[in-house]
Amino acid sequence: MKIGVTGGNGFIGRYVCEEIEARGHEALVFDHHAHARRRPEAPEREVMLGDIRDATAMVELAAHCDGIIHLAAVLGTQETILNPRPAAETNLVGGLNFLEAVTQYQLPGVYIGVGNHWMNNSYSISKTAVERFVSMFNADRGSRVNVVRAVNAYGPRQLAAAPFGPGKVRKITPAVVCRALCGMPVELYGGGHQVSDMVWVGDVAKALVSAFEAAEAGTVLDHVVECGPVSSTTIRHVAEIVIDQCERKGYPRVEIVDLPMRPGEQAGAVVSANAETLRAVGIDPADLVSLETGLERTVDWFIATQGEHWTAPEPLALAAR
């Protein structure tokens, strides 16, 4: 099958394309970015340039593939609060365009939701509204779309934000790993006491493609597939694991600094997943990559790619010479 992947050049999108190809299918990337860094041994992929807000472009994508996995969105929690319109327009209109396109051509599809679906920030609100549209389309329009709600995905190739990389949205793992490797204090909003499950990005890709194959086979689930670990943990525990791993690898141990909670998030928040829902798409939760293993792989990747995919802030880089 040729499977369209909106946002296919993004962090999760590239893993999804690799999982599609590993299962013998072909990935068709739909993105407004023409290029993404690729492994030398990876096959060339067809890329269709377009914007998910463009209904015509989305219908064209549907006309050239056998189904769509919809990942593209405007990300960010506090980053979208002061100006919610881009998130609302892109995520809501883009989600509706995806649903209209797969319904017109009677294609299977998968929509990715967010683990913090109940939070009152522009990202969570707009993403979760589309989950309800999926239910409406499946019930009243005959669509075949499954929803995979992923918690915090992490792993190699995730963009670091300033001052380490070009990312515009601060993500937990790159922020913690880069600081620990650079000898900088690890800053945690709300002290990191929020329960926020982490899931290996490759496992997210497996869940998305498995949910797509289920939809293609005619299994339209009446519930969301929640992609996350069996055991929950706090952000602070994640940071402690990373700091311990960096110290074992020969890097100076850094301290944790508590910061006030960011706008759009809640102190004491619990972002966890019912991992048992993964069984609906043939995935045993016990087979997910463990947090310790995944974080070590991620730390090793950041060590190996310093200066290529991320950099230390200039004063620290000079001090290291």
Side-chain angles (χ1 to χ4, degrees):
M1 299 181 68
K2 179 183 284 189
I3 304 172
V5 183
T6 69
N9 280 337
F11 171 54
I12 295 176
R14 293 165 65 192
Y15 282 90
V16 169
C17 290
E18 289 166 4
E19 182 67 21
I20 287 170
E21 291 158 355
R23 299 191 189 198
H25 306 300
E26 179 183 353
L28 169 57
V29 173
F30 182 91
D31 209 306
H32 61 276
H33 295 296
H35 303 291
R37 292 183 178 180
R38 303 166 48 75
R39 295 176 292 110
E41 70 276 15
E44 287 298 323
R45 295 188 189 115
E46 183 179 356
V47 177
M48 180 181 292
L49 291 180
D51 192 314
I52 61 172
R53 295 172 298 180
D54 184 340
T56 301
M58 288 296 287
V59 170
E60 280 295 301
L61 171 64
H64 288 84
C65 64
D66 302 307
I68 300 173
I69 297 176
H70 182 50
L71 307 176
V74 169
L75 310 180
T77 48
Q78 72 165 5
E79 294 88 353
T80 62
I81 289 176
L82 294 179
N83 184 11
R85 191 174 299 276
E89 290 180 346
T90 302
N91 300 349
L92 287 169
V93 174
L96 284 172
N97 287 341
F98 153 69
L99 289 168
E100 291 284 7
V102 294
T103 303
Q104 177 175 327
Y105 283 95
Q106 300 180 330
L107 302 180
V110 171
Y111 174 75
I112 188 169
V114 293
N116 59 348
H117 56 94
W118 43 267
M119 282 189 180
N120 279 330
N121 58 68
S122 310
Y123 177 50
S124 298
I125 292 168
S126 57
K127 288 288 291 180
T128 304
V130 178
E131 285 190 19
R132 298 183 64 181
F133 278 119
V134 170
S135 296
M136 184 189 81
F137 269 72
N138 285 345
D140 301 323
R141 299 279 299 276
S143 60
R144 292 180 290 150
V145 177
N146 287 325
V147 177
V148 174
R149 188 186 288 160
V151 292
N152 288 305
Y154 72 96
R157 307 197 301 247
Q158 190 168 27
L159 278 181
F164 307 102
K168 302 301 182 184
V169 177
R170 186 182 187 272
K171 294 295 185 178
I172 296 168
T173 311
V176 171
V177 173
C178 289
R179 284 183 166 271
L181 292 177
C182 290
M184 300 171 65
V186 170
E187 299 175 336
L188 298 181
Y189 295 109
H193 298 294
Q194 315 91 308
V195 173
S196 188
D197 285 351
M198 308 287 289
V199 62
W200 177 250
V201 64
D203 288 332
V204 177
K206 289 178 181 177
L208 288 162
V209 179
S210 295
F212 175 86
E213 291 180 335
E216 194 277 331
T219 300
V220 180
L221 302 172
D222 61 0
H223 60 83
V224 171
V225 175
E226 298 187 55
C227 187
V230 175
S231 300
S232 297
T233 190
T234 64
I235 296 301
R236 194 175 192 91
H237 183 55
V238 171
E240 289 168 346
I241 292 173
V242 169
I243 291 169
D244 287 344
Q245 290 180 347
C246 290
E247 186 178 28
R248 287 198 300 271
K249 295 176 188 295
Y251 291 82
R253 187 172 187 83
V254 299
E255 63 177 350
I256 293 176
V257 175
D258 297 348
L259 297 180
M261 187 63 68
R262 294 189 297 178
E265 297 180 343
Q266 295 173 230
V270 178
V271 180
S272 59
N274 178 6
E276 289 299 312
T277 58
L278 286 166
R279 297 187 187 279
V281 292
I283 296 176
D284 185 343
D287 293 335
L288 300 181
V289 174
S290 72
L291 182 62
E292 290 76 10
T293 298
L295 287 174
E296 184 159 24
R297 292 179 187 173
T298 305
V299 169
D300 287 342
W301 181 84
F302 273 95
I303 291 173
T305 61
Q306 182 175 354
E308 178 185 2
H309 288 269
W310 69 281
T311 57
E314 189 63 24
L316 291 174
L318 291 173
R321 292 176 185 171

